[in-house]
Each structure stands twice: as C-alpha cells, then as structure tokens.
Amino acid sequence: MKNVDSIGHVTGKSVYLDDIPVQKGTYQAVVFGAPVGHGKIKNIDYSAAEKLPGVARIITSKDITGENQIGGIIQDEPLFAEEELHFYGQPIALIVAKDTFTARKAKALIKLDVEESEVVTDPREAYKRGDLLFPSRTFQMGAVDEAWDGCEYVFEGRADIGGQEHLYIETQGSYAYPTDNGSIKIHSSTQGPTAVQKTAAKVLGLPMHRIEVDVARLGGAFGGKEDQASGFATMVALAAYVMKKPVKITLDRPDDMQMTGKRHPYSADYKIGLSKDLKIVAYQTTLYQNGGAASDLSPAIMERTLFHSTNSYFIPNTHVTVHSCKTNLPPNTAFRGFGAPQGVFTIESAIAHAADELNIPAYEIQKVNFIQDGQAFQYGQIAENVNNKATFEQALNQYDFTRIEKEAADYNQKHIDKKRGVSIMPVCFGISFTKTPMNQARSLVHIYQDGSVGISTGAIEMGQGVNTKIIQVAAGVLSIDSDKIKVESTNTTRVANTSPTAASTGADLNGHATRLACEVLINRLKHSAAESLGSEVDEVDIKNEYVYLNGEKTAVHWNEVVEAAFLKRVCLTENGHYATPKINFDKTKEKGHPFAYHVYGTAITQVTVDCIRGTYEFDKVQIVHDFGKSMNPTIDFGQVEGALVQGMGWMTMEELAFHPNGKLASDSLSTYKIPDIYAVPKSVDIEALETEGAELAILKSKAVGEPPFLYGIGAFFAIRNAIKAFNTDYEPAFNAPYTHEKVLMDLYSNKSQGTKKLYKKAVENAGK
C-alpha cells in the first residue's frame, strides 16, 4: 500500500500548521531571547517596544497565571527567565503584535541590562565544577576490576561525539485561541500532544480538560518536537488566555536553530580488554553527556545510552557510567536514536582502537562477540531471536565482502592520491520506551452508517507513514478496502493521555490499539450478521467486504451488515487500549526486561578519500536489515535510506559551532551543512533478512524509525580506514563528525618522510 499522504505532499495539498486558516484578529508572536549565554538580569526596559504601533502586548513571567515551569521530567526549566539567564536565546518574553514584522521591530527596541557570568560549554569542564543536571547512573555486569588481569590485551582511549541539529523542514510553531468556558485550543507542531496539554495546563493554572491540543501532521521532527514544542505552544496559549485573543507563532530558521536543543554531544573515556581469541572480556566507559542548561529529556536519553553502550555484543564484565553535565547551551533533547548512537559510537571506537593495536580489521573482533540467544544484556534482559550474526553473514556473503576488500586493497596499491576505506557496522536496537508506563496507547474507531471508518489514535504523522500503517491494520482486521478508512488528526479530546510518537513505537502501540478496537467491532458485526442470517456466529465470516456463511460467499455486502447492525442499536464505536506486555525495569537494581524486542542489521560502507584535498565520496552502502515481516516495504525501505543518510551526516559534515559566549555560530544553512544529493552514497542496497518477525511488533513488522540511523556510524570508520591507508604512521582520533577539514589534517598529521614523498608524488600525478 502506498503512503496515503504521498499525493498530498507532492501536490502541496497536505495541511500543516501554517496552512490552518486563522481567525480574524489573530496576533503574531516573536520570542525575545537572551543575548548572552549566562548572566543575571539587572533591568529590562520594554517601554519603547510597547509604544510601537501594532504591538498588542509583551508577555513575561509576570503574566503567568499558573506555574512558570515547563520541565518535562525534572522541574528545572522556566517558561520565561526571571532573574538568571542560562543559555543564549533563552526566552525572556513573548512579543505579541499585529504581524511578525512589527513584533521583530519591537524586539530590537527592548533594552536589557545583564551582569554576565562565565559561559561553560564543555561537559568535562562542567563535571569538574560539579555541575550535574541530576545524579549519574551506572550499568554493570560481572566484575570488571577483577577481569582486567585475565585479559590478554587491554586498551584505553577517548571518543568525542558531536551534536546534531534536527533541521526539520517545518520549524517550531503553534496557534492558540480561546474557546467556550475559558478553555484554550492549541494547534501545535508537536510529537507529544499530551505533553503540550499538560505543560500548558500547568503554566495557565487550568485543569487539563480546559486545554485541547490538535495535530494534523508535522513537517518533520526527528525528536526535536517531542519535548521542546511544549514551550512554544504554552507561550501562545498563555498569551491567548490572558488577552482573550488568538495568537500564533512560527519560528524563523535562525531563531529555531538558536533557541532549541540538539542531539546531545558526548565525550567518553573507554577501556577494553580482550582474550587471546579476541573475545571482549571486559569493557568500562565513562560518558560525559552535554545536557545543556536544563534537564529536558536528558535523564531518559542517558538511560538509552546505557542500554545501548555494548551495541551488538555480549560482554561478561561491564561498567558503564554516564554523567549528565549542565552547560550554558540550550537544553539538549531527543534526536533519532535517543542517546543510543553515542553509546554505540563509543564501543565501536574502542573496538577499532583494539583492532589498530593488534593490526587486524575491526570486523575480526566484531564477528566473534555477537550476543547470542540465552545470553544476558548488561541490563538483565535475556536475548531472544537474535539476528545479528545472521545479518552479518548474509551481508558478507550476498555482497561478496572478500571481493570488496580485495578491490579496495588493489585500488589503494595503484592510487597514490586517492584511497578507499571499508567498514562493517553491526546494529542492535531495543524497541520500547524505556520508561515502562509510557508503553500504552488508545485508538478510537467509528464505523459510520454508510460503512466508512474513522480512526483517532495518539500517533503523530510526521512523514514516517504511521497513518498508512494504521489504515493497513484496520483494513486487514475489518477486511475492507483502505479507501473506506480515514485517520483523523491527533486530538487530546478524542484520545487522551497519549505517549509521544517517539522511540520507534508509534506504529506498534497505536497499531495494536487499533487492532484491538477493530477486532471487537468485527466481532459485533459477525454476531449481528449471524442473527440476521439465522446462523451460528462461528459459521459467519466477513471477507473482502462480503459476508461468508460456512465458507461460501453470500450477497450481503459490508454496507448492509453495518446498516443492519445500526438499526439493531449495535455499538459501532470502540476504544481500543494497548499496553505492551512483558516489559519491566527496576531502576533501583538497573535490571529488567525493558524492550519488547530488538532490531538487528549490518551495513558495509565503502568510501573514496581524495588525499590531496581531504574530501571524500561514499561509493556504496550495502545493508541487510531485520525488518521482521515488513507490512509496508516501500515505507520501511525509505525509512532505512533516510535514517542512514541522516546518520552519515551526523558522522561527517554536521558540525555545530558555538561562539565563546554560547551563541550558536552555525545557525543557518550557509553555516550548518547537511547531506545533499552530492553527499549521499552513489548507491544504497538494502536486503531484508528472512525472518518470522517479532510477536510484539504490529503484524510482526518490526519498528524501523531509529535503528537504521546507526548504520551511518560506519561512515566514520570507513573514512578512518582510508586515511590509515594513506598515512600509515598515524592513528586518527575518534572525534566525530569527520569533516573534510579534519580529514585533511589527519591525512598529514605526524607525517613521516615517506608520507611527504607520497604527497609530492600524488600532487604531481594530479597535475598530469
């Protein structure tokens, strides 16, 4: 089945936040943010801005009718700053005016007197100062301290991992207006409607039922709208509430990039010990998470880093600690992978380091350490239906890795000015919210008198095709054509207490809730049809929109069944509730069964590096992925491709740069680079692993949003291997992203006389 939104997207007919018709008299809003990274407010003069014609009001913390607090997990983030400023761009006020131009003009007239303080952006420096957002956590298994003596090889090192800007096409935005009885309706570009509802209710001092949040779809999110949309939605909700007027905000790109948090940068120290036969005996790492100025979702992201810190491997002795460090940056937040990529990059760096020292390819260590059925992850869950070895072996055989390696070696032997690098990237990713109570969903299904069906769930459509999958589930259970089914906007009045669409759980949770609702409805219709036909229920079936009696097709159509049921006063509405079974986690012991299942896969990445310029081109990425029983290969393969390229961008070119005062320097598309058509691999091959799928996945079709992002990490190690082929005397640091500038520096770092001669000869060859 094709994505139901495809035609609307390509023809421009899909309705996003900015396409919603606004009420007459709607005001536009602009945020006035901190012009420094850290300091105390001595005085603010709004008088000139307030006198500007067209300015309706400037909303500050003094206008808040409830609590000045928007922290989602930990209550440590004010909606509007009151006395202290902790990051550049921190919201101080909301300027409400007749149009955006006027609001921006007023913004320039505000006079702010600040006593500046030292700005800290390095998490290690913050840790030294004792600036933590919340207590550190450790996962451990076995006895690491005793294990080192039994290791044949022990290596220590450091890995540094940069952040990443979400750069969704649709920036943060929200539209709020008063409704009956002192209520507020909010249209928000958010992944978490209930989070917006709950936050707005707290700040406005209203019960949640007075706040209605509606979301049609998002123009991208990638985690950046899971928590951080709540603040901007709450600002305009507050303005609408106190002014009794509709208010809208749409951030421009520089403001969006400056004010919002990114993927967390991490810095890590690791120690890895191996036996003589290359088994990883012990692994210890300390990771410093750059959380920014407030907690946001950092506690949960820290947790997923811990869960994925050993990637695909069984390691009997582990000790992994994460410190969440408070810095003067915007609160960093969710991003596709949610902390797992940083943990995975660290252990893959440790393995690459060991391989360098032992003068062997990294895959020689990878392939003998895959976790197997019956073994325990360090968090206590017993591995089941493990497919890592299967994807690894299929990738090597199907794509003829022996040939790939030989061709790369031959190429490097023949070329001085260019070198090829190859890497293998195994992936293991757990599916579920790691906070167990969040693994629940509801689906409200109506069958109308004419046989058409309307479905409301908590899922947010943001380009990943979740609406299409929900339609597929309903069409399959009800056995009707998909054209008869419509998925409504996500609305907190129709479906309450929703979990955000995140953690790759959207299709599983909401799909299962829809399945349960539809199963109840089809059972009611079968009972009604059996009664009309004077037969037993077990003799009746509904298939392809017709009633079957004892396996024989009758002339009774779906529409007639529905109409007859309605006339008998049979309920044609059902609310399905789904809570993922089996999962649990005890934080006091850091042990449990947190994931419904795991997704596995293997990617082979090939790159060619220009050793004169430091540039590179990705020749090919070849993937074997564990989709389970994919219910929609078109959507799922597209998700793998998109995630791969986004992961490669994070590893290669997406470098965040900050001024010393904490201001983001890379705040536009001219200074922050994402992959374009010239940066993507020349070809991407994807093969599905043949498997029975996972019982807890919807229709046994495994989640596909986040796991393939990890394949992009292979890009870093492929480039690194190419550099080592040129500069054999140098072992490059594990410092991502691997920009062209860093590549050029590494190509000529610690140059031996031999390397200098190679460079001279390469330049001569290039000149010819």
Side-chain angles (χ1 to χ4, degrees), residues 598-613:
H598 291 79
V599 175
Y600 301 92
T602 300
I604 301 171
T605 302
Q606 302 177 58
V607 68
T608 299
V609 173
D610 184 324
C611 299
I612 297 176
R613 298 169 181 84

Side-chain angles (χ1 to χ4, degrees), residues 17 168 170-174 189-190 224-225 228-230 232 249-252 256 260:
L17 178 69
Y168 24 66
E170 177 192 38
T171 59
Q172 299 276 5
S174 192
S189 182
T190 177
K225 297 176 181 177
Q228 302 213 339
S230 298
F232 299 106
I249 187 170
T250 303
L251 269 61
D252 65 13
D256 189 288
T260 61

Side-chain angles (χ1 to χ4, degrees), residues 661-708:
N661 68 348
K663 180 182 180 182
L664 181 67
S666 49
D667 63 350
S668 70
L669 282 169
S670 64
T671 52
Y672 184 81
K673 297 298 184 181
I674 63 170
D676 58 14
I677 192 65
Y678 301 105
V680 300
K682 294 176 183 176
S683 71
V684 177
D685 299 328
I686 304 169
E687 286 293 332
L689 179 73
E690 289 292 327
T691 173
E692 289 301 312
E695 288 295 332
L696 295 182
I698 184 65
L699 303 183
K700 296 189 177 183
S701 179
K702 287 189 174 183
V704 74
E706 293 174 287

Side-chain angles (χ1 to χ4, degrees), residues 443 445 455 457 470 473-474 509-519 576:
S443 178
V445 181
I455 302 175
T457 75
I470 286 170
V473 170
L509 293 179
N510 295 281
H512 275 303
T514 300
R515 172 185 60 80
L516 292 171
C518 290
E519 285 174 352

Side-chain angles (χ1 to χ4, degrees), residues 19 39 109 212 316 431 504 559 562 594 599 613 618:
D19 300 314
L109 297 175
E212 177 186 354
I431 302 299
S504 304
N559 292 8
V562 171
V599 175
R613 298 169 181 84
F618 290 99

